[in-house]
Amino acid sequence: MNGKSYVEKKSGLKSKTISAAAQFLIPIGLLIAIAGCKRQDIRVYTVPKETAGASDAAPESRPALSWNTPEGWEEVPPGQMRVASFRVKGDNGKQADVSIVPLPGLAGSDLGNVNRWRGQIGLAPITDADVAKLAEPVQIAGQPGQLYDQAGKGTGSDDPARILAAVFRKESTAWFFKMVGDDELVAKQKPAFIGFLNTINFNSATAQPDLPPSHPPIESGSIASAKTAPTPTSNPGKPSWQVPPGWQEAPAGQFLVAKFNIAGEANSQAAVNVSMSAGNGGGLAANVNRWRGQLGLPASSPAEISSAVQTLDLPGGKAMLVEMNGNDARTGQASQLIGVMVPTGTQTWFYKLMGSQAVVDREKKAFTNFIATAKY
């Protein structure tokens, strides 16, 4: 927040030149200082500046947020409590609004947040038991999150409306990702929204611009350009394996253990991502639907997923393999994805080969052989 600071210390009051209104408040401030002279802490009171000017302090260093914007989404100025906003247009003037809002602390219970969203589309409140049934597991920044999909009526109208809202809690901040608008348009955009959530990346700390003026202070979560590349990180827990010829290892981003790029003809390419999660990592259905979302495909039922899963025999046991084709939710290009889940007792390892169909087809055998060589 722009403003000038008045610092009350045990030794007295320090200030800069202030406005007439602030001068009127000085006697009150002095009384407070006298009454609390035995305290050792420092309190900072901020008075808004009368004119805009440069901040007296450097911006706080916080993790930057980056993402990949889905095709057809238009980024617009955020304002209010948001750090990012997007507009999505459909047929016949139909629209949807996408927002990213960070709030300090836990920012309320899941029940309270869900009922608040339900009220926005004319739905009655529900109970904790109902909230658990509504929650859909999704991946946000490579970590488990919850998605709530609810349909009702638009505010002040009888037009069908829908809200997709996801919650991700990181450190001392709750991040809310929401799409609201025409029922049919939002339902159609759900795979793109889920894919968007999976591209969210919290980069290493950098100096960032201030949050919107109306936003409460938070411990972390400033915004970077939507096109900022993820900050590479290393992971000491990487298994040993035999890397196939032609695979170029690249810096692994956050939440990845390893990454490899594979070049094809005519600038075609594919990439292999390796990650790990405790337990079952959310389960088979949730992860397969996460991958489907990355290809712009609708979610499948558990029965449909079970029938599509293949068994991959490995030296240490069996893994689950799925193949799918669609359009990359980030680029719109035709793509193929092969995903493998390898349970190893208390952990599950995830291997994903995704990119040009020709490159993925060519590298499928090398991909499965690579997985078979892994020693955890």
Side-chain angles (χ1 to χ4, degrees), residues 47-318:
V47 178
K49 292 183 180 179
E50 294 180 3
T51 58
S55 172
D56 294 321
E60 183 180 355
S61 182
R62 302 187 181 103
L65 186 68
S66 63
W67 60 79
N68 294 107
T69 304
E71 184 177 6
W73 289 23
E74 176 190 359
E75 187 170 3
V76 295
Q80 297 182 350
M81 306 283 285
R82 306 179 178 195
V83 295
S85 290
F86 305 86
R87 182 186 299 119
V88 185
K89 296 182 179 180
D91 298 330
N92 302 319
K94 296 178 180 178
Q95 292 191 34
D97 173 71
V98 180
S99 60
I100 303 177
V101 176
L103 293 177
L106 296 179
S109 65
D110 289 341
L111 176 62
N113 288 314
V114 169
N115 280 332
R116 173 166 53 86
W117 297 323
R118 289 177 67 83
Q120 294 171 8
I121 51 176
L123 299 178
I126 58 176
T127 65
D128 269 318
D130 294 322
V131 169
K133 296 176 183 177
L134 279 177
E136 300 178 28
V138 292
Q139 292 285 313
I140 304 174
Q143 295 294 305
Q146 296 83 40
L147 174 69
Y148 300 93
D149 183 353
Q150 302 177 95
K153 301 290 185 181
T155 304
S157 73
D158 290 328
D159 296 333
R162 182 177 293 267
I163 288 179
L164 298 176
V167 185
F168 179 67
R169 291 178 172 86
K170 178 178 173 64
E171 299 172 353
S172 60
T173 302
W175 291 82
F176 295 89
F177 304 84
K178 186 172 75 170
M179 171 181 278
V180 58
D182 173 78
D183 181 20
E184 182 179 354
L185 176 59
V186 173
K188 183 178 179 180
Q189 286 288 323
K190 185 175 181 179
F193 183 75
I194 293 174
F196 168 72
L197 295 177
N198 197 49
T199 70
I200 297 295
N201 198 350
F202 294 88
N203 299 333
S204 59
T206 54
Q208 296 299 321
D210 292 336
L211 291 166
S214 60
H215 201 291
I218 59 176
E219 294 293 329
S220 63
S222 290
I223 191 73
S225 167
K227 297 180 181 179
T228 302
T231 300
T233 61
S234 60
N235 193 316
K238 183 168 66 175
S240 62
W241 44 44
Q242 297 177 18
V243 180
W247 289 25
Q248 181 67 44
E249 186 163 9
Q254 277 190 330
F255 311 119
L256 289 182
V257 175
K259 180 180 180 68
F260 301 90
N261 293 324
I262 309 170
E265 297 179 356
N267 294 322
S268 61
Q269 58 184 348
V272 172
N273 288 351
V274 184
S275 61
M276 181 274 294
S277 182
N280 66 0
L284 175 64
N287 285 288
V288 170
N289 280 327
R290 172 170 59 87
W291 289 328
R292 289 179 63 83
Q294 294 171 13
L295 290 177
L297 301 173
S300 292
S301 68
E304 292 172 329
I305 291 172
S306 295
S307 64
V309 170
Q310 306 172 42
T311 299
L312 177 64
D313 291 321
L314 299 175
K318 297 183 181 297

Side-chain angles (χ1 to χ4, degrees), residues 279-288 290-291 302 305-314 316-324 337-345 347-353 364 367-368 371-372 376:
N280 66 0
L284 175 64
N287 285 288
V288 170
R290 172 170 59 87
W291 289 328
I305 291 172
S306 295
S307 64
V309 170
Q310 306 172 42
T311 299
L312 177 64
D313 291 321
L314 299 175
K318 297 183 181 297
M320 295 165 284
L321 181 149
V322 291
E323 297 183 60
M324 56 193 79
L337 185 154
I338 301 176
V340 176
M341 295 176 59
V342 183
T344 59
Q347 300 173 336
T348 300
W349 288 82
F350 298 88
Y351 295 82
K352 183 182 73 173
L353 169 61
K364 179 180 178 179
F367 177 61
T368 55
I371 298 171
Y376 305 99

